[in-house]
Amino acid sequence: MVNICCIGAGYVGGPSSAVIAYQCHDVNVTIVDLNQARIDAWNSDNLPIYEPGLDEVVFARRGKNLFFSTNVDQAIIDADLIFVSVNTPTKKSGMGAGMAADLAYIETATRRIAEVATTSKIVIEKSTVPCRTAQSMRTILEANSSKDIRFDILSNPEFLAEGTAINDLTNPDRVLIGCLQTPEGFAAQQKLVDVYSRWIPKERVITMNLWSSELSKLAANALLAQRISSINALSAICEATGADVDEVAYACGTDSRIGPKFLKASVGFGGSCFQKDILNLVYLSEQFFLPEVAAYWKSVVTMNEYQKMRFTHRIVRTLFNTVTHKRIALLGFAFKKDTGDTRESAAITLSSYLIQERAHVAIYDPKVSAKQIKLDLTEPGVGTNEAEVEKHVEICNSAYEACAGAAALVICTEWDEFKMAQLDYQKIYDSMQKPAFIFDGRLILDAPKLREIGFRVETIGKSA
Ligand code: NAI
């Protein structure tokens, strides 16, 4: 029986390790975290994260070969393979603040492994880290453990997307495993290949050197975000010229060299990864004295910020240049559909801007709690404080409740339940102030049909 320990029971550690347990019944998987509340939630009927299909996977294996615990030391002692899936947020202060990844959590976890391990381990970087982090981990492990224990380090970055995580983990495009190009490195790599090969076709388990593997994760996220910023930049040109961004994206996407994915214009990308990983790449480029490369990648983030501001300015401009005291219904607060994750969500920027303009913001999201929304809006750096949020924000229990009496409705997240087939837009129109405005920040609505009802519709990438 192989024993796996995963340090970090978050959006990545939880689902990715649960799928290993689900696919390999003879592998014991223990997911550990310092956060007692998070572990309690993983052990309850109400899992700490919303992800389609996750409940089934966890409930099928929990207590059999899948365990959640705060006993980090015991799980390390028992494990043959240890995944490090802790958070690596952008540094908030000190050297590289606002750009470099904060590796403090990685270092703490690595030191813990060195301190408590009594047998040799394969330590696997699952978190997204700057290139050559594995080298620092190795140095820490070797300097803090007894000489008869061996540590092999692998890089196994995670490519799951929130909202489709279980499908991505069950049927991934590829799994990447990087190792030191030594006999011991190859042997460790093979052990992890053996785990994944139980359910993933061999040709999709790609092996390479450690540094390529680490950099590939940053590169993949940078390329994905770059496509979104590219189509968003084009959406501004569409609005100015009368071109339609959906038509332009379709025309470009049918070219097999370009392909159709990630060409959907929107109010801007969010999530915990894209911005953080690009900034990480920017910092790396600067450290290697590559200022042109740094500036190139930085522009992807700059364009994203611009898109969010452009959309909010359009809202204010259209509402006769003032939103003061106007009720604005914000539909969706998660950074994308099918997740409750709000990290870097465009809705945060939008809400904060509208609050500063003294609008009354009525927010509804099917999976984000009122507590989380208020927490996000009062985070340092967001620009709104507790008193302002109390005064200007109302959290609603349905889209209908948010829209009743509103001057405008803004689609921030592309949840299916906001689509035309699922919401009664006639009912919404009847309940709103007139003229009733809709701002579609996700291109999910049928503007001509809404105009027939009587709405004034403004859509990203289309002139009014
Ligand atoms: P998260 O913040 O949801 O989870 C990280 C967990 O690690 C937290 O629960 C925290 O309490 C725990 N932790 C931190 N230090 C610890 C320690 N020393 N011992 C035990 N537990 C500790 O973060 P998330 O979203 O799961 O991301 C983890 C990593 O995976 C990051 O590097 C991220 O960039 C990467 N990633 C995230 C994806 C996503 O969609 N969220 C996708 C692909 C990669």
Side-chain angles (χ1 to χ4, degrees), residues 89-196:
T90 304
K91 271 184 89 172
K92 288 201 171 124
S93 60
M95 214 169 82
M99 290 241 252
D102 185 349
L103 297 177
Y105 302 96
I106 292 269
E107 180 162 343
T108 307
T110 309
R111 284 186 184 276
R112 202 72 213 143
I113 296 170
E115 275 159 33
V116 303
T118 50
T119 55
S120 297
K121 313 281 176 201
I122 296 174
V123 179
I124 306 155
E125 279 176 352
K126 174 64 85 181
S127 300
T128 305
V129 289
C131 209
R132 295 198 87 86
T133 300
Q135 190 163 301
S136 314
M137 289 172 77
R138 163 181 288 276
T139 309
I140 292 169
L141 288 168
E142 287 177 353
N144 292 285
S145 55
S146 63
K147 297 291 161 252
D148 50 335
I149 297 180
R150 198 190 147 71
F151 293 104
D152 287 292
I153 313 219
L154 300 175
S155 157
N156 173 218
E158 185 50 65
F159 292 100
L160 69 79
E162 286 177 29
T164 52
I166 298 303
N167 188 46
D168 296 342
L169 290 161
T170 308
N171 190 21
D173 288 341
R174 80 309 207 183
V175 165
L176 212 59
I177 307 175
C179 72
L180 271 189
Q181 307 292 288
T182 60
E184 296 81 8
F186 289 129
Q189 188 179 52
Q190 189 56 45
K191 288 209 173 110
L192 191 55
V193 169
D194 290 343
V195 173
Y196 284 119

Side-chain angles (χ1 to χ4, degrees), residues 8 10-12 33 38 86-88 127-128 158 162 276 343:
Y11 286 88
V12 164
D33 205 293
R38 211 164 204 186
V86 300
N87 34 333
T88 50
S127 300
T128 305
E158 185 50 65
E162 286 177 29
K276 155 176 95 68
R343 290 177 289 182

